[in-house]
Amino acid sequence: MGRFATGKKIERRAAVFAIYERPATPFFMPENPLVTESEDSARKLPKTFEPGSFEERWYSVWETEGRFQPSGAPGSPRFVMVIPPPNVTGKLHIGHAYGRTVEDILARWKRMLGLRVLWVPGTDHAGIATQMVIERQLAKQGIDRRELGREKFVERVWAWKREAKDTIQTQMKRLGCSLDWTRERFTMDPDLSRAVRHVFVRLYEQGLIYRGRYVVNWCPRCETAVSDLEVVHRETDGSLFKIRYDVAGVPGGATVATTRPETMLGDTALAIHPEDLRTSKLAGRTAILPIVGREIPIVEDAILVNREFGTGVVKVTPAHDANDFAMGKRHDLPAAVVIGPNGRMTADAGEYAGLDRFEARKQIVTRLTDEGRLTAEPYRNSVGHCQRCDTVIEPYLSEQWFVKIAPLAQPAVRAVEDGTIRFVPESWTKTYFEWMKNIHDWCISRQLWWGHRIPAFTCPNGHVTVSEEDPAACPTCAAAPLEQDTDVLDTWFSSQLWPFSVFGWPEKTEDFLDFYPTDVLVTGYDILFFWVARMIMAGLHFTGEAPFSTVHLHGLVRIGGEKMSKTRGNVIDPLEAIAEFGADAVRFTLASAASSGATVSVERGRMAGSRNFATKLWNAARFTLSALDGRTVPTELASRALSLPGRWVLSRLSGAARDVNRHLSGFRFDEAASSIYAFVWHELCDAYLEMVKPVLSGREGTEEERESVRGVLSRCLLDSLALLHPFMPFLTEEIWDKATGRPGTLIVAPFPTGEALRTDSEAEHVIEAVRALITRVRNYRGERGATPTEPVELWVAPDSPDRELASGIFAVAPLLQHLGRIPQLRLEAPPASAFRDVVAGLSVGLRVKESASESGGARLEKALSDIEQEYEGLSSKMRNPSFVDKAPPAVVEKTRRRLLELEERRAALSGGRA
RNA sequence: GGGGGGUUAGCUCAGCGGUAGAGCGCCUGCUUUACACGCAGGUGGUCGCAGGUUCGAUCCCUGCACCCCCCACCA
């Protein structure tokens, strides 16, 4: 019997000494959750873990029991979020799943912290995007929407919308999103449409909405105007064409440069800079428009023309260029529309009428080249494309509605400046300010069929009325009937109202009064301008309050470093991932991938890793429940004696709980996930469960000690389940049910904050040393080529660097001996025959029966050279007087101690080599 | 043209003034009575390059290289 003789006695004394210092039920569980009399069968978990077997069941339990609805008195602390409403264009991809997972983690966490949580679901009609989906469907059947007519077309979109909404809803439920479905909204619901109309009318009356003919971004494929934000600029290789115009009295004429020669048909002037000597001879003259033969004036304009750039002469096409349009206004020039809304040349284009704009370009280039008027050179410039269909955008003069944005932007800037709204990560603040500073008026009318009709009505006499209710007759002249504007509003016009329109605003509904403003908005940074900025402007302008206090802008999901796209074929369907790995694993993966950066990298390998973690938890639960074996666990755990491992694991548990809370508060979902992962896997499972097996099996310890272990185990299990619930709601609820017999209640169980248990640094110190010793013993075997089961003798010198620890370590001698397979453990100086080392401040000696293989020599040499290198570095530091002088004393002290440790190790290892 | 971000282990990413971490991968063992979706041990990094500040820099500053993103009426 080689066991250290007094080990047990010391262990017991240590246990008594290890009583909790705060005996008054410091646990977060209000009552003992491990129900005594619950049936045995309910306490057992199936051997195999199948996520599919319980996920949907728990979701419906939560939903039917109203867990997703805010509970508690109005006015009590609440936490409110609105979902960024997904477009009803199809199904959600993994990027949506990421954002929703983050939101659900917040929602579940806050709910468990006792707040009244409301998370509002809904969808967005997504005007142009959804219309395109249906147009494509029709095109497959060879139908053009115009054949169908507006009414029939819109009906079809509604039918599609219902389907898409169901798909999206199912996806979010599978993911586990704790959304309050009783409050689900759609941007074209009657009450939300009323809010849109109300806002339009108010802005109109305030002079912040106006109508006019301007050059706007026009998509010839969608045949609608789009806003500046909906134009995607891309560097494109093209040509810069130089065209010579004849000028009466000026030999050589005037040469202009353009990237779009077809627009010359719409030129109504040439422009020069008034102070440019190169072109002064052209001043006041008249040029002849080639091909057309029309005379156009040469005007002087210092704003449009850059003296330093190009030929100094600019062609002016007021109908097809925003700058030229402004210039035309200044000089009272006519505007000739030569490219029509469908991208084909108009009647004003003369012989080119009816041609596609690019075909016309080709022909004009050929003709002018033949005439000797045109030269071309390669040119790379930025060309605008339609965000939705990638068609080249055409600047186009048309009648549109606009929001005058500057007066709305000012308060929105202030709200962020004064901290009413904060961005997380904070770095987005600057981007937001930059954009707000240069913001332009917003073109809100769209020549589409799917969306909110603009509430403007024109009477037979041409009077325009804007009103919330459809007017029966003209308020000005009483004429009838009135025609409503056929345009619809930009989708984002309704989205900007989402945080309050979902609550029934402008009515002062109970929900609006209770839940507005919301707390946190979570969304991708890609819609900061489209949506977030506009919500802030609208919220402040219409409700007088910022619509949320925190904006968490997250990165965009990338798969294996690449942007997700259908053409790359790397799109991950959340439902497929859920089917393969389970919703909990998918969620955990997404949470772990979260980072402050602009991209969120998701890989299959990580999904498998999370699934493995889920299985790990499952098996740890099985182990724990079998250890409890239906037994009552003492409620008054606090008053019981705890062993050092128990103290250690509870201390670590409290640390994990604090970390999880801290990281969630900072929106660091990756760090939060990693904290609980590391605790459950590497501390609870790898260490604690292994440490207590001998006690649980009855091979060691008293019944009292077994009870203590059971108490610690159940505390660890239940707290881990609670800490993990926001990340892995299904699995944790399933285990919780089996453990407590209270189905479906984890979702509202108190969230561990770590405050109930204290950090036990003494226990941590001792147990960390034990773990280090065990590791050292194991790799010592490896070095010696001994099998893992080969017994190792261990000496711990009483005069170790850490003397206190050296004597304290015997409190856990049986533990060390069992886990390290150490038959001999002696508190005495190691003999010369032993291999010596210093581990965790303990001078130790190790001895194992020599084995044939001696693979450890190289390792030992490496260890020694590592030590030597570090020692050299540190000691040269210590020799440096300015380090000792200027570095903080704590750092110097730490360095000194490390140096001593290295000396010890070096001495020990050098001896061991002999 | 303006602005922002990145460059850390084979891969994907954390860290950020006191000489480096995770997951996956890789190598070696292992029917240790919760788990092979496992256990134990291990391999692997002049922290993009060059200067500077500092007692000390992967971390702060400057410059450079390469990559990515956003904004902009670059005829």
Side-chain angles (χ1 to χ4, degrees):
Chain A
M1 130 122 194
R3 174 162 292 157
F4 180 69
T6 60
K8 274 196 168 170
K9 204 179 272 174
I10 293 172
E11 158 87 14
R12 200 153 304 137
R13 199 183 306 136
V16 171
F17 150 85
I19 290 173
Y20 264 112
E21 306 214 341
R22 281 201 266 165
T25 12
F27 301 107
F28 72 85
M29 288 302 301
E31 38 199 300
N32 174 24
L34 290 174
V35 179
T36 325
E37 306 306 333
S38 69
E39 287 164 38
D40 231 47
S41 60
R43 303 288 298 274
K44 292 225 172 81
L45 293 169
K47 281 208 177 65
T48 45
F49 159 48
E50 284 167 38
S53 64
F54 51 75
E55 289 181 353
E56 287 179 61
R57 181 160 48 86
W58 287 123
Y59 196 89
S60 79
V61 167
W62 294 325
E63 196 179 0
T64 50
E65 292 186 359
R67 302 299 190 193
F68 303 156
Q69 290 166 256
S71 66
S76 60
R78 89 284 201 275
F79 180 79
V80 181
M81 293 184 294
V82 291
I83 196 172
N87 294 347
V88 287
T89 42
K91 53 188 183 180
L92 304 181
H93 54 71
I94 202 79
H96 293 108
Y98 169 68
R100 282 347 103 218
T101 295
V102 161
E103 278 172 330
D104 195 48
I105 288 169
L106 287 174
R108 287 178 184 270
W109 174 50
K110 297 285 185 180
R111 193 177 291 117
M112 291 173 80
L113 284 174
L115 297 168
R116 275 193 308 143
V117 169
L118 171 59
W119 182 22
V120 181
T123 43
D124 195 303
H125 69 279
I128 191 166
T130 310
Q131 176 157 335
M132 265 184 65
V133 169
I134 308 302
E135 280 175 1
R136 280 207 201 104
Q137 289 175 359
L138 289 174
K140 274 187 195 154
Q141 303 166 36
I143 307 172
D144 185 283
R145 75 176 149 98
R146 276 158 283 234
E147 296 167 32
L148 215 57
R150 184 165 187 156
E151 205 172 316
K152 282 253 164 56
F153 180 82
V154 169
E155 262 172 42
R156 282 191 77 129
V157 186
W158 272 107
W160 162 265
K161 174 259 161 186
R162 282 184 281 272
E163 218 175 284
K165 195 219 75 171
D166 286 349
T167 306
I168 290 167
Q169 189 177 56
T170 302
Q171 287 182 298
M172 291 197 285
K173 288 184 173 182
R174 288 279 167 77
L175 236 202
C177 299
S178 56
L179 288 151
D180 182 357
W181 295 105
T182 65
R183 287 179 164 87
E184 187 180 14
R185 292 290 182 272
F186 176 57
T187 48
M188 278 169 69
D189 281 348
D191 47 343
L192 278 83
S193 298
R194 261 198 305 281
V196 165
R197 207 152 152 171
H198 176 80
V199 161
F200 188 95
V201 172
R202 260 177 75 181
L203 287 174
Y204 182 77
E205 286 168 352
Q206 292 166 340
L208 295 176
I209 278 184
Y210 61 93
R211 182 160 75 156
R213 272 174 75 77
Y214 293 91
V215 171
V216 295
N217 303 300
W218 184 272
C219 174
R221 213 282 327 162
C222 303
E223 293 201 40
T224 178
V226 295
S227 70
D228 295 347
L229 282 177
E230 290 164 285
V231 179
V232 182
H233 292 275
R234 250 203 320 275
E235 288 285 308
T236 308
D237 285 314
S239 301
L240 183 65
F241 302 97
K242 295 206 170 136
I243 307 172
R244 183 171 48 78
Y245 290 36
D246 291 330
V247 178
V250 179
T255 300
V256 303
T258 181
T259 53
R260 298 184 298 147
E262 70 281 8
T263 61
M264 61 141 317
L265 300 173
D267 286 357
T268 55
L270 294 185
I272 56 172
H273 191 99
E275 287 149 30
D276 191 341
L277 293 175
R278 294 179 296 168
T279 55
S280 56
K281 58 183 182 293
L282 296 172
R285 297 183 184 270
T286 303
I288 311 295
L289 194 56
I291 300 176
V292 183
R294 185 166 72 226
E295 286 195 7
I296 54 174
I298 298 177
V299 298
E300 295 174 64
D301 191 283
I303 299 172
L304 181 72
V305 187
N306 182 342
R307 290 171 66 183
E308 268 72 56
F309 193 89
T311 61
V313 187
V314 179
K315 62 191 277 299
V316 183
T317 323
H320 294 287
D321 185 288
N323 285 323
D324 294 5
F325 179 76
M327 146 92 195
K329 284 261 173 191
R330 288 195 292 273
H331 297 271
D332 209 21
L333 298 169
V337 175
V338 293
I339 304 170
N342 56 0
R344 293 183 175 276
M345 307 307 285
T346 66
D348 282 350
E351 59 192 276
Y352 298 96
L355 277 185
D356 177 78
R357 55 189 166 145
F358 295 115
E359 180 57 28
R361 174 181 301 177
K362 222 189 274 174
Q363 294 189 13
I364 289 169
V365 167
T366 307
R367 171 145 170 205
L368 292 175
T369 308
D370 291 348
E371 289 179 11
R373 297 182 173 279
L374 182 142
T375 58
E377 57 194 68
Y379 193 68
R380 193 172 171 76
N381 72 335
S382 176
V383 177
H385 294 73
C386 175
Q387 184 198 35
R388 291 294 161 194
C389 71
D390 211 39
T391 302
V392 173
I393 289 292
E394 198 65 41
Y396 176 65
L397 180 61
S398 54
E399 181 97 8
Q400 304 290 346
W401 292 87
F402 299 87
V403 173
K404 198 170 172 182
I405 212 82
L408 300 170
Q410 283 160 15
V413 167
R414 268 198 306 277
V416 175
E417 274 170 351
D418 69 18
T420 308
I421 296 171
R422 75 180 173 119
F423 289 103
V424 177
E426 191 261 332
S427 57
W428 289 108
T429 313
K430 190 177 178 186
T431 310
Y432 171 81
F433 285 146
E434 288 294 317
W435 189 69
M436 291 300 262
K437 207 170 63 191
N438 302 311
I439 197 163
H440 293 327
D441 283 1
W442 174 18
C443 175
I444 52 171
S445 45
R446 298 288 178 274
Q447 289 64 50
L448 301 170
W449 287 351
W450 175 242
H452 301 277
R453 278 287 277 279
I454 289 179
F457 303 82
T458 311
C459 82
N461 297 319
H463 299 126
V464 174
T465 305
V466 168
S467 86
E468 289 200 43
E469 302 302 329
D470 292 5
C474 178
T476 311
C477 66
L482 281 70
E483 293 265 326
Q484 182 169 5
D485 197 313
T486 54
D487 290 355
V488 301
L489 288 162
D490 181 2
T491 276
W492 299 102
F493 192 87
S494 55
S495 316
Q496 67 175 341
L497 314 177
W498 187 250
F500 38 101
S501 64
V502 295
F503 296 125
W505 183 92
E507 301 302 319
K508 291 236 179 314
T509 62
E510 266 179 49
D511 271 10
F512 177 71
L513 295 172
D514 198 7
F515 300 120
Y516 186 83
T518 69
D519 293 279
V520 175
L521 181 88
V522 178
T523 193
Y525 68 82
D526 54 331
I527 53 176
L528 171 59
F529 305 144
F530 275 112
W531 193 45
V532 179
R534 287 169 177 163
M535 278 191 290
I536 295 173
M537 291 190 275
L540 289 165
H541 187 73
F542 292 106
T543 72
E545 289 188 271
F548 28 72
S549 49
T550 303
V551 180
H552 173 52
L553 291 170
H554 60 242
L556 275 20
V557 170
R558 273 159 196 271
I559 311 296
E562 284 202 312
K563 202 167 172 174
M564 230 184 341
S565 78
K566 282 175 200 139
T567 47
R568 282 193 182 89
N570 62 354
V571 178
I572 296 182
D573 179 345
L575 288 187
E576 280 172 26
I578 288 170
E580 184 172 357
F581 301 105
D584 293 312
V586 171
R587 291 170 60 112
F588 197 82
T589 303
L590 294 172
S592 307
S595 74
S596 46
T599 62
V600 176
S601 197
V602 174
E603 292 176 284
R604 289 184 65 81
R606 285 223 122 168
M607 298 260 184
S610 300
R611 190 244 355 247
N612 296 352
F613 177 54
T615 308
K616 190 75 183 174
L617 181 71
W618 181 266
N619 282 300
R622 284 179 55 214
F623 177 83
T624 302
L625 294 188
S626 80
L628 294 168
D629 197 21
R631 224 173 293 261
T632 310
V633 167
T635 323
E636 295 300 311
L637 182 58
S639 62
R640 288 197 157 258
L642 290 171
S643 65
L644 272 166
R647 289 166 58 193
W648 170 77
V649 77
L650 290 173
S651 180
R652 301 302 303 149
L653 170 64
S654 74
R658 278 191 297 272
D659 288 347
V660 168
N661 282 282
R662 181 165 51 86
H663 289 131
L664 288 179
S665 301
F667 296 88
R668 285 307 303 264
F669 304 95
D670 55 336
E671 298 283 358
S674 139
S675 299
I676 183 63
Y677 177 98
F679 170 74
V680 168
W681 199 314
H682 299 306
E683 298 188 313
L684 180 59
C685 292
D686 288 350
Y688 186 69
L689 294 190
E690 296 304 324
M691 289 178 187
V692 298
K693 275 179 181 173
V695 175
L696 284 174
S697 70
R699 273 177 286 141
E700 279 183 27
T702 61
E703 185 52 36
E704 193 190 348
E705 283 169 334
R706 259 184 289 291
E707 271 301 278
S708 167
V709 165
R710 289 186 192 116
V712 173
L713 271 179
S714 58
R715 165 96 295 113
C716 286
L717 176 64
L718 296 176
D719 275 21
S720 297
L721 291 175
L723 286 168
L724 268 167
H725 183 259
F727 302 88
M728 307 183 123
F730 298 111
L731 170 70
T732 51
E733 190 73 86
E734 173 74 9
I735 298 172
W736 179 269
D737 173 35
K738 296 296 189 287
T740 68
R742 291 139 126 233
T745 58
L746 176 56
I747 188 174
V748 288
F751 196 77
T753 58
E755 281 157 20
L757 306 172
R758 50 185 285 277
T759 301
D760 188 333
S761 38
E762 186 199 357
E764 293 208 9
H765 189 56
V766 174
I767 297 298
E768 297 308 338
V770 168
R771 298 189 71 190
L773 280 175
I774 291 165
T775 298
R776 188 65 193 92
V777 167
R778 284 171 178 162
N779 70 29
Y780 171 69
R781 279 195 190 91
E783 288 162 13
R784 295 282 147 160
T787 65
T789 50
E790 191 66 41
V792 169
E793 292 173 277
L794 178 66
W795 287 264
V796 173
D799 64 341
S800 289
D802 191 338
R803 279 162 180 267
E804 211 178 320
L805 179 61
S807 53
I809 204 76
F810 286 90
V812 285
L815 197 62
L816 252 176
Q817 295 184 267
H818 164 73
L819 291 172
R821 291 177 188 272
I822 301 162
Q824 297 281 349
L825 171 55
R826 299 190 186 87
L827 176 59
E828 55 193 43
S833 60
F835 174 86
R836 288 173 51 224
D837 199 349
V838 180
V839 179
L842 301 174
S843 299
V844 298
L846 300 145
R847 192 162 66 193
V848 70
K849 202 163 63 182
E850 287 293 338
S851 158
S853 117
E854 178 68 65
S855 62
R859 273 199 198 168
L860 183 58
E861 290 306 324
K862 184 174 187 303
L864 274 166
S865 91
D866 285 352
I867 288 169
E868 202 48 52
Q869 204 180 325
E870 190 180 347
Y871 186 85
E872 260 319 300
L874 291 182
S875 57
S876 81
K877 220 175 192 177
M878 288 300 280
R879 282 195 301 269
N880 181 354
S882 52
F883 171 70
V884 183
D885 262 14
K886 295 186 182 174
V891 173
V892 178
E893 174 57 19
K894 198 178 153 195
T895 308
R896 200 186 56 77
R897 270 205 309 267
R898 178 68 183 151
L899 225 34
L900 284 176
E901 202 179 317
L902 290 171
E903 274 171 33
E904 291 281 343
R905 275 211 81 195
R906 184 172 56 184
L909 288 176
S910 307
R913 187 159 39 167

